[in-house]
Amino acid sequence: MNKVHSTQVIGIASGKGGVGKTTVAANLAVSLAALGKRVMVFDADLGLANAQLALGCRAKYNFSHVLSGKKTVQEIIVEGPLGVQLVPGSSGIQRMASLSVVETAGIIQSFSEIEGNLDYLIVDLAAGLSDTVMTFLGACQHRFIIVKDDPSSIADAYATIKVMIQDYKLDNISIISNCMNSQAAGDRLYQGITSVIQRFLGGQVAHLGTIREDEMVLRSIKASKPLLQFSPSSAATRDFELLAKTVTKLTANASISGGLQFFLERLSRQDTTIK
Ligand SMILES: Nc1ncnc2c1ncn2[C@@H]1O[C@H](COP(=O)(O)OP(=O)(O)O)[C@@H](O)[C@H]1O
Ligand SMILES: [Mg+2]
């Protein structure tokens, strides 16, 4: 088949830490893989290696080895459940936005070996509004903000979206409500946030879905298994399956130019404009 293939790049962010970014990145990846999609998770959080835990895999090398030129991206990738691939993170990720042209070219070259074999690259970001996070978000095609139903998570999500819209002129922003008691509660949380955004920022954010609070999430991590396999019929598993279907519809309609190379080129181009 010589259909032009383009990888959809999704950035997962939040205002506050500990709201479920890594949980969503990993379980959305596995749920997309269960739908037959080829998925890679890029752990761009700083040095926590949480994505490895959430996917139940162990990496010998990480992105610092790519940045130092010791390994190619291909060589550090580890395979997780259902063929989900993981690019393990490192604290060196911060440097991504300030690499030299030669360094960037090497990494782009390294990533381009993967292009064509991938439907989704899911980037698990650090919390907050740092330049690095915004640079990564600017390079993604879709931006998912995770929000929990507590006042500080809501306030921080709003602050993050404000900076994204006003300072960085980003669009394609969607909210995922996490740790909710019910789907309806997730809808209400979204309604509250979106009305404030419309009123004060004049922007639009979509609601992608709700993940319910589920003790199986933590238990599956302890068992080093993805939720989907550990507890196939639990509430959060069903929510992730629904979320994955919604994501495939969203990305099928996406008319935005994309691809892995595009992502990396934008990532490296932005360091001069954002400081
Ligand atoms: N839907 C959920 N139900 C129950 N626990 C959850 C859920 N989502 C996340 N958690 C738990 O919350 C904690 C923080 O989640 P994590 O994904 O690491 O957050 P972040 O990446 O935003 O810092 C973890 O212990 C995780 O297991
Ligand atoms: Mg995390």
Side-chain angles (χ1 to χ4, degrees):
M1 270 193 276
N2 43 20
K3 179 174 164 261
V4 177
H5 189 82
S6 170
T7 307
Q8 303 276 325
V9 185
I10 297 170
I12 310 250
S14 70
K16 214 179 125 184
V19 297
K21 286 182 301 299
T22 302
T23 303
V24 171
N27 289 294
L28 174 61
V30 175
S31 304
L32 282 167
L35 294 175
K37 304 294 179 189
R38 294 158 305 173
V39 192
M40 182 182 281
V41 175
F42 184 4
D43 185 356
D45 201 348
L46 309 176
L48 295 173
N50 276 343
Q52 281 182 58
L53 295 178
L55 283 168
C57 48
R58 264 179 176 280
K60 198 166 166 194
Y61 303 103
N62 60 50
F63 210 75
S64 71
H65 298 100
V66 176
L67 292 172
S68 64
K70 292 196 180 80
K71 298 275 166 205
T72 65
V73 175
Q74 200 80 282
E75 286 168 335
I76 67 159
I77 290 170
V78 285
E79 193 161 308
L82 301 183
V84 170
Q85 294 179 294
L86 171 70
V87 179
S90 81
S91 48
I93 290 286
Q94 264 170 319
R95 276 186 55 228
M96 271 296 275
S98 56
L99 296 174
S100 73
V101 175
V102 175
E103 284 175 309
T104 312
I107 291 167
I108 290 175
Q109 174 62 36
S110 196
F111 261 103
S112 66
E113 296 161 25
I114 300 157
E115 174 86 281
N117 295 314
L118 211 57
D119 297 307
Y120 296 99
L121 175 67
I122 299 176
V123 188
D124 180 19
L125 291 160
L129 304 164
S130 71
D131 283 348
T132 311
V133 167
M134 286 298 154
T135 304
F136 267 97
L137 282 175
C140 293
Q141 291 149 282
H142 309 275
R143 294 137 193 135
F144 297 175
I145 308 296
I146 316 299
V147 189
K148 251 169 105 162
D149 195 9
D150 74 62
S152 63
S153 168
I154 297 168
D156 289 353
Y158 176 74
T160 306
I161 293 168
K162 183 171 184 227
V163 170
M164 287 166 75
I165 292 177
Q166 289 190 335
D167 299 348
Y168 290 81
K169 317 286 179 218
L170 301 180
D171 53 9
N172 293 317
I173 302 168
S174 309
I175 286 176
I176 296 171
S177 328
N178 186 32
C179 284
M180 304 303 299
N181 289 327
S182 66
Q183 291 285 338
D187 290 342
R188 281 197 297 276
L189 175 64
Y190 165 72
Q191 286 305 333
I193 296 172
T194 193
S195 65
V196 176
I197 289 169
Q198 261 166 14
R199 201 155 139 220
F200 295 105
L201 304 179
Q204 288 278 339
V205 293
H207 192 213
L208 265 195
T210 297
I211 308 296
R212 281 168 289 177
E213 177 149 38
D214 188 339
E215 60 169 345
M216 290 303 166
V217 171
L218 202 60
R219 286 221 245 155
S220 68
I221 293 173
K222 285 191 180 143
S224 293
K225 281 225 164 95
L227 187 64
L228 213 76
Q229 289 172 340
F230 182 76
S231 181
S233 58
S234 78
T237 301
R238 279 179 279 137
D239 296 339
F240 278 117
E241 284 168 346
L242 198 62
L243 182 70
K245 284 194 187 120
T246 307
V247 168
T248 57
K249 282 182 206 138
L250 176 85
T251 50
N253 295 334
S255 57
I256 337 146
S257 59
L260 223 47
Q261 297 225 11
F262 182 71
F263 168 68
L264 289 149
E265 278 158 18
R266 278 173 80 172
L267 204 54
S268 56
R269 224 190 298 136
Q270 291 192 20
D271 71 308
T272 46
T273 49
I274 298 166
K275 274 279 132 52

